[in-house]
Each structure stands twice: as C-alpha cells, then as structure tokens.
Amino acid sequence: MWRAFALLLAMAAPVQAQEVVTSARYINLSTEYGHGAVPNGEFSGLEVTTARGTYRVRLEGQVFEDTVPRLADLDGDGAPEIVTVVSIFDQGAQVMVWGLRDGALAPLVWNVPIGTRHRWLAIAGIADLDGDGRMEIAYVDRPHLARVLRVIRVWRDDTEWRIEPVASAEGHTNHRYGAPDIEGGIVLCGQGPEILTADRGWARVLASRLEGGRLQTRDLGPYAGPDSLRCR
C-alpha cells in the first residue's frame, strides 16, 4: 500500500527512556479531501505532547478524518498509543495507531481501508471487550451507508504490532452525516463492557457485548437523542 508521510520533529530530546504521551490533537485543517462527514473534521497533521517536547506528523495524499485522536494503552506497558482515523484519498478510511519510535512520531499498525473514496468510519470506543487481556477498538463502518459495527483487536507481540478483525454486526450507527459529534460509546452497565449505538434508523438504542468472538446485541429502548444512549 502506498504511503507518504512527512515527519516533523520539534523540541524532542534524545530518547533515553520511554516517553509518555500526555495529549494529542489534530492540526492543520484541510480542504483537500473534501468529504464533509464531520464539519471541520479533516486535518493534514497530528500533534502529540510528552513531558520532553512536542512531536508532529504531516500526511500527504491522505488526511486525518475524525473528531479527536484517542489515547489508549494498547500493549499494557503503561504508556498510551494514539488511535486515529486516516482517510486515503482514493481508498477511504482506516484505523491507524501511532506512537513514538526512534525519536519520532510514526504509524505502528493499521487495518485495511474501506476501499472507496469518501467512505468513513466512526470509532465507538477502545477497551478489552472480552476480558482476554488484549485491547479492542470498536467502530461503525460507514455509519451513514453500510452501518456495520466492527471490532478489531490490536496488540504488540514483542516488537511487532498486530491487528486483526474480531467480529461484526449489521444494523448499527453512531453518527449522522454532518454532525460534529459521534454518539454512544463503550460503557459498563453491569454486564461488562458494552458498545452503545443506535439502530440503522435511529429509532432504538442498542447495547452490544463481545462474547466468544461474536457480538451479542440487546435492545435498550427507544432512541430520543444523544442522551438516550446510556445504561438503562
């Protein structure tokens, strides 16, 4: 897969011990891709901050298409990685995980892009959804079109990062085209982590659990706005 990254390093001291990312944000608003799924939600840059300095990366031929980058410790070493959504101009969106490597901000692992320009995914949350000690990322694949809830697993095997699809279920959404926010998320409602979404018609609230490699979904009642996506 073709990639073009322009790496810019600022204020970074030589790495002598593990640096811990404390914050992350998208920078450099872009109009080059021109999708518009999220208003002002396409960026050419990512900036992360540690106690030692600030690191930046700039993309070419692709953009960060998202609301915010998410920090999550995916390998259990006590330091978070950065989970983003990257949209390639001719292949659409994919999940991409970033971290600090050899003194620079670099992509660690990513899944296969959707495959078509202007096709997006909305991250629902990040957690160990099935209690196996590995972290999963839940997202809705094409929340305005296909409306498929997907779960992928991300982990580090010694020095190699790995990512694999785990489960999927049709009939879910968590974003309306042009809305500034992604709705729902991962919550603890007393039965372990559950992914809260709306059904494809925004009529019902759904809660999905990952069990035995499958998503088990229950209906929590009518959808009546973002506040109704909660435990009941």
Side-chain angles (χ1 to χ4, degrees), residues 196-227:
L196 295 188
T197 60
D199 73 346
R200 66 169 53 251
W202 292 95
R204 311 295 296 180
V205 175
L206 306 177
S208 301
R209 297 179 63 195
L210 182 62
E211 295 182 341
R214 298 175 63 87
L215 286 168
Q216 307 292 335
T217 299
R218 61 193 181 103
D219 188 315
L220 296 186
Y223 173 86
D227 290 344

Side-chain angles (χ1 to χ4, degrees), residues 159-176:
T159 60
E160 294 294 324
W161 282 90
R162 303 187 184 280
I163 192 167
E164 66 177 8
V166 177
S168 64
E170 296 184 356
H172 296 257
T173 189
N174 60 351
H175 184 263
R176 297 179 189 268

Side-chain angles (χ1 to χ4, degrees), residues 74 95 97 109-111 125-139 150-156 161-167 210-214:
L74 299 177
V95 176
V97 178
V109 69
W110 53 87
N111 67 346
I126 307 164
D128 179 1
L129 292 173
D130 57 1
D132 69 347
R134 293 179 177 177
M135 297 289 281
E136 283 83 33
I137 301 172
Y139 66 90
R150 298 191 188 277
V151 174
I152 56 176
R153 181 171 293 124
V154 181
W155 75 100
R156 183 165 60 88
W161 282 90
R162 303 187 184 280
I163 192 167
E164 66 177 8
V166 177
L210 182 62
E211 295 182 341
R214 298 175 63 87

Side-chain angles (χ1 to χ4, degrees), residues 114 119-122 140-148 150:
I114 290 171
R119 295 296 181 264
W120 185 57
L121 64 86
V140 178
D141 177 355
R142 293 159 289 174
H144 322 118
L145 296 171
R147 300 180 178 93
V148 178
R150 298 191 188 277

